[in-house]
Amino acid sequence: MNPDPLILVVDDLAQNVRLLEAVLTPKGFRVASASSGAEALAVLGSEHPDLVLLDIVMPEMDGYEICRRIRQDPRTAFLPVIMITASGDEQKIRAIEAGADDFVNKPFDQAELLARVRSLIRVKRYHDTIEHQAAELHRWNSELEQRVQDQLEQLERVSRLRRFLPAPVADLIISSGDESFLSGHRREITVLCCELRGFTALAETAEPEDVWEILGEYHSALGDLIARFEGTLERFTGDGLVVFFNDPIPCHDAPLRSVRMALAMRQRVQGLADSWQRRGHELALAVGIAQGYATIGRIGFSGRFDYASIGSVTNLSARLCAEAAPWQILVTQRVHAAAEDVVVSRLVGDLSLRGFSRPVRAFDVSGLDSAGVTA
């Protein structure tokens, strides 16, 4: 930006223009000139002068009309205008009415002219600074509003994803911006289903507040373990709970991880069961784990979605859970084969499960084999 102020001199007499240039240029001002009103308006359309020195008497368009048009244009409405008058008070009054900021009489005094020019240039610079600051403030406000909107949208996405994903997974998706995995896709997963034995009797006999409190303790305890083992929570169904592994984040040890989590869940719920028993409630955990292929993705409707798995593997884990005795963890042969080196287990046998035409070989996992556990 050129620091020297630009003065537009408008006068139809070339000698007057040269005189003003001779006065202004040595004092550090740049000068542009126009010999008519039309030419002056054209210059204002292409240049950005800091002040206009405007003669009143000109052919076709006089100084009053030029000044009025300057004031009517929003781009030049606050541009300082000094009108050069040849007569007395009547022209000065008309100049002020037309929108002039100041005036000088012909023949003008150079010192007075320079003083009036400098004064209005200073006002113009103040005005430009205020306009610049206002524009910057508007830009900052717009950016802030956009950032707030972006953050609200991001928080909404995080809240939506965290309803069915572990917090680290949801954060990963938010940071990458990739939600493509939410579309339906096929993947091999390990599914854990668990529920509380004795819950139906509890719900029939206990006060609703007691049931609510027990469920809160139960969900809190197991939710912490789901996050720790990085499982994907599909749903809570009262005392039932479904978690799967190997989606959306690949998990090479999904069967073993699901068994480890089941054992941790059983230990955690056993601790809760002691306090429940003291309150007169007999409750125990039962778990079923299966491995197989499923179609996984977002299901639901606008405003309410779940991340769910559809396939026989989910049904199989639920049937094993229903078959399991209190504190028993039943797993399929595939899950057992992947985890048998580090678990203590026994063969239960071939079970006839509802919804499955062939018997399912199941194993009862009682704990971890300390000799086989390396980490």
Side-chain angles (χ1 to χ4, degrees):
M1 181 177 179
N2 197 315
D4 295 334
L6 175 63
I7 309 297
L8 173 60
V9 175
V10 184
D11 199 310
D12 60 322
L13 299 178
Q15 60 269 30
N16 290 343
V17 173
R18 288 194 296 271
L19 175 60
L20 289 169
E21 285 180 340
V23 172
L24 295 169
T25 301
K27 301 301 181 180
F29 297 101
R30 294 176 297 133
V31 176
S33 62
S35 59
S36 67
E39 186 179 353
L41 296 176
V43 171
L44 290 172
S46 59
E47 301 285 345
H48 301 283
D50 296 285
L51 182 141
V52 177
L53 282 174
L54 180 59
D55 189 28
I56 292 179
V57 181
M58 287 187 294
E60 298 181 5
M61 187 185 304
D62 62 19
Y64 303 126
E65 179 61 22
I66 297 172
C67 189
R68 281 190 288 268
R69 294 197 183 188
I70 290 173
R71 292 292 173 252
Q72 291 169 0
D73 189 335
R75 296 171 301 175
T76 58
F78 296 97
L79 178 64
V81 176
I82 297 178
M83 300 194 78
I84 300 176
T85 65
S87 59
D89 293 340
E90 183 179 348
Q91 281 194 340
K92 294 178 181 178
I93 292 172
R94 291 188 62 189
I96 294 172
E97 289 175 345
D101 297 284
D102 205 346
F103 43 83
V104 294
N105 295 318
K106 292 181 180 178
F108 57 81
D109 178 86
Q110 293 188 17
E112 179 187 0
L113 174 67
L114 289 170
R116 294 181 184 276
V117 167
R118 290 191 180 105
S119 176
L120 286 177
I121 289 290
R122 191 162 51 249
V123 172
K124 174 65 164 52
R125 290 292 168 87
Y126 291 154
H127 178 265
D128 289 348
T129 299
I130 292 171
E131 280 200 329
H132 176 72
Q133 291 173 343
E136 282 292 295
L137 181 60
H138 177 73
R139 182 178 64 82
W140 290 341
N141 285 336
S142 298
E143 290 180 358
L144 180 60
E145 289 176 1
Q146 185 60 48
R147 288 178 182 175
V148 170
Q149 183 62 31
D150 291 344
Q151 289 175 351
L152 288 174
E153 292 176 359
Q154 182 168 326
L155 288 173
E156 183 179 350
R157 291 177 64 204
V158 170
S159 176
R160 186 172 65 248
L161 291 172
R162 280 183 170 167
R163 287 190 295 107
F164 47 75
L165 293 178
V169 178
D171 292 339
L172 176 62
I173 295 164
I174 293 300
S175 62
S176 66
D178 182 13
E179 292 189 11
S180 60
F181 78 92
L182 293 176
S183 302
H185 55 279
R186 178 178 170 84
R187 179 167 294 175
E188 186 178 39
I189 58 174
T190 302
V191 182
L192 179 151
C193 180
C194 68
E195 60 185 21
L196 288 175
R197 292 287 177 266
F199 182 78
T200 301
L202 169 73
E204 289 177 354
T205 59
E207 293 297 330
E209 293 80 6
D210 293 335
V211 177
W212 183 272
E213 183 179 357
I214 288 172
L215 281 178
E217 295 169 349
Y218 170 66
H219 291 159
S220 177
L222 298 194
D224 173 65
L225 291 173
I226 294 168
R228 184 186 306 176
F229 284 90
E230 297 182 339
T232 300
L233 173 63
E234 183 179 59
R235 63 182 180 272
F236 283 113
T237 55
D239 66 313
L241 184 149
V242 179
V243 181
F244 54 82
F245 293 87
N246 199 40
D247 188 274
I249 299 300
C251 174
H252 71 279
D253 61 344
L256 177 57
R257 189 176 300 199
S258 64
V259 171
R260 285 176 178 267
M261 187 175 76
L263 291 167
M265 285 178 164
R266 183 170 65 183
Q267 182 179 12
R268 184 73 64 86
V269 176
Q270 283 173 335
L272 293 173
D274 291 339
S275 67
W276 296 338
Q277 189 175 40
R278 289 193 294 271
R279 285 181 266 172
H281 308 306
E282 294 290 340
L283 296 169
L285 187 70
V287 180
I289 304 175
Q291 183 179 6
Y293 282 91
T295 297
I296 307 164
R298 179 172 54 189
I299 61 172
F301 55 88
S302 179
R304 182 61 175 89
F305 290 103
D306 282 322
Y307 192 68
S309 61
I310 305 298
S312 62
V313 63
T314 303
N315 296 332
L316 180 54
S317 67
R319 296 293 180 262
L320 286 173
C321 179
E323 190 72 19
W327 305 118
Q328 192 173 39
I329 300 171
L330 292 183
V331 304
T332 61
Q333 187 170 6
R334 290 191 63 193
V335 173
H336 182 263
E340 62 180 335
D341 291 340
V342 295
V343 299
V344 177
S345 62
R346 68 176 182 86
L347 175 63
V348 174
D350 295 336
L351 303 179
S352 296
L353 303 176
R354 183 167 59 88
F356 291 86
S357 58
R358 296 180 180 179
V360 176
R361 179 156 294 185
F363 292 80
D364 176 13
V365 176
S366 57
L368 292 175
D369 184 354
S370 58
V373 176
T374 59

